[in-house]
């Protein structure tokens, strides 16, 4: 669960990035976060990851009260969150399998678990045939599937997808959202940040619109793909 209670963020430059925001994302939710550039979307992600602290208010993520979280506990928090970036951030010298396994090796997961878990998430994203390929041999859509598998491999409670369709062909964008929806249906909470309103209108669901640091809309809407 992610909860922001009366959260404000003012940067040292004097910019008010978030202004008294209250928001609750329950376990198992899928929510789109939309808003123009500079609206406060990135600030919200940085708060959830504890890259920055709230100026005021309380942020709770997956059972952690971030205002009371000690520095040494931050890696523990972050292991409960998977992140999908717009620019993939794959390691060029590693295969698909190695890129995904790397996440588990970093936290000293048992080898036996890695050998079982990595092929499983590769199959979930439909890339069995590409397990031994390198990133430069993949299309943009395939790279993003690897990024999703990597975010998923540690079995996080929450996946944050930050503009995951920003660097891929528009027709593939729908496939990526379908994939995230499928992951959500298996019980993982998904927060997808996007500025692509066509996608949001197509899929519908919970839409959270941030404008100038404030939530101006938080409703569940029907998608145009229904019916």
């Amino acid at each position: 669960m992610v909860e922001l209670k009366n959260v404000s963020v003012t940067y040292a430059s004097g910019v008010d990035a978030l202004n008294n925001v209250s928001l609750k994302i329950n376990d198992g939710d899928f929510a789109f976060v939309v808003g123009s550039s500079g609206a406060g979307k990135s600030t919200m992600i940085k708060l959830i990851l504890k890259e920055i602290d709230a100026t005021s208010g309380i942020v709770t993520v997956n059972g952690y009260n971030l205002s009371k979280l000690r520095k040494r506990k931050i890696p523990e928090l972050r292991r409960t969150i998977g992140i999908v970036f717009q620019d993939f951030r794959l390691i060029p010298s590693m295969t698909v399998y190695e890129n995904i396994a790397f996440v588990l090796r970093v936290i000293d997961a048992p080898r036996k678990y890695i050998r079982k878990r990595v092929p499983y998430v590769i199959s979930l994203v439909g890339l069995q045939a590409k397990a031994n390929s390198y990133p430069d041999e993949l299309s943009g859509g395939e790279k993003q599937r690897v990024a999703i598998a990597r975010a998923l491999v540690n079995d996080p409670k929450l996946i944050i997808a930050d503009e995951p369709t920003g660097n891929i062909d528009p027709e593939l964008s729908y496939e990526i959202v379908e994939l995230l929806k499928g992951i959500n249906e298996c019980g993982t909470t998904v927060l997808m940040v996007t500025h692509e309103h066509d996608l949001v209108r197509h899929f519908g669901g919970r839409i959270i619109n941030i404008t100038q640091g404030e939530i101006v809309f938080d409703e569940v809407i029907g998608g145009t793909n229904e019916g």
Side-chain angles (χ1 to χ4, degrees):
M1 186 186 75
V2 176
E3 188 168 16
L4 279 63
K5 278 187 186 171
N6 307 118
V7 170
S8 295
V9 175
T10 303
Y11 288 114
S13 60
V15 172
D16 291 323
L18 290 178
N19 183 21
N20 202 34
V21 167
S22 291
L23 172 69
K24 190 173 184 180
I25 309 285
N26 290 310
D27 289 343
D29 280 2
F30 186 111
F32 288 106
V33 179
V34 299
S36 57
S37 182
K41 304 189 303 293
S42 296
T43 297
M44 186 184 287
I45 290 173
K46 287 175 181 173
L47 273 178
I48 292 169
L49 294 172
K50 201 167 166 67
E51 290 178 4
I52 60 171
D53 291 319
T55 309
S56 61
I58 297 168
V59 181
T60 309
V61 178
N62 294 340
Y64 294 89
N65 179 338
L66 301 200
S67 57
K68 295 180 177 176
L69 193 66
R70 298 193 174 180
K71 205 167 186 177
R72 62 184 170 80
K73 287 278 194 181
I74 294 174
E76 193 179 293
L77 160 77
R78 290 179 182 161
R79 283 201 288 273
T80 70
I81 304 168
I83 294 211
V84 181
F85 299 99
Q86 178 177 345
D87 55 358
F88 318 129
R89 302 200 189 178
L90 303 179
I91 300 165
S93 60
M94 290 185 178
T95 63
V96 166
Y97 183 99
E98 290 163 346
N99 261 284
I100 298 164
F102 182 72
V103 176
L104 294 176
R105 291 196 178 112
V106 165
I107 59 168
D108 290 326
R111 283 185 184 180
K112 190 176 177 184
Y113 179 74
I114 293 173
R115 284 198 297 268
K116 188 178 176 183
R117 180 72 182 165
V118 175
Y120 172 69
V121 294
I122 288 174
S123 69
L124 276 184
V125 300
L127 286 178
Q128 299 94 314
K130 301 284 184 175
N132 296 316
S133 300
Y134 289 89
D136 64 0
E137 298 170 324
L138 304 176
S139 68
E142 288 168 341
K143 287 177 187 173
Q144 197 55 289
R145 284 174 177 268
V146 179
I148 290 169
R150 190 182 52 189
L152 192 61
V153 74
N154 196 26
D155 200 17
K157 290 183 177 180
L158 167 69
I159 283 185
I160 296 174
D162 187 8
E163 300 280 5
T165 59
N167 277 343
I168 59 178
D169 294 336
E171 60 270 24
L172 291 173
S173 300
Y174 292 89
E175 282 183 27
I176 293 298
V177 181
E178 289 278 13
L179 181 54
L180 289 168
K181 286 271 189 186
I183 288 165
N184 170 249
E185 281 163 16
C186 294
T188 306
T189 309
V190 177
L191 208 52
M192 178 171 158
V193 178
T194 184
H195 63 271
E196 296 190 43
H197 292 278
D198 287 348
L199 272 182
V200 175
R201 277 193 293 270
H202 176 79
F203 286 97
R206 185 174 176 188
I207 318 295
I208 299 161
N209 189 325
I210 303 179
T211 301
Q212 294 180 329
E214 296 183 358
I215 292 176
V216 294
F217 183 88
D218 182 358
E219 302 282 344
V220 174
I221 65 165
T224 55
N225 66 334
E226 295 174 1

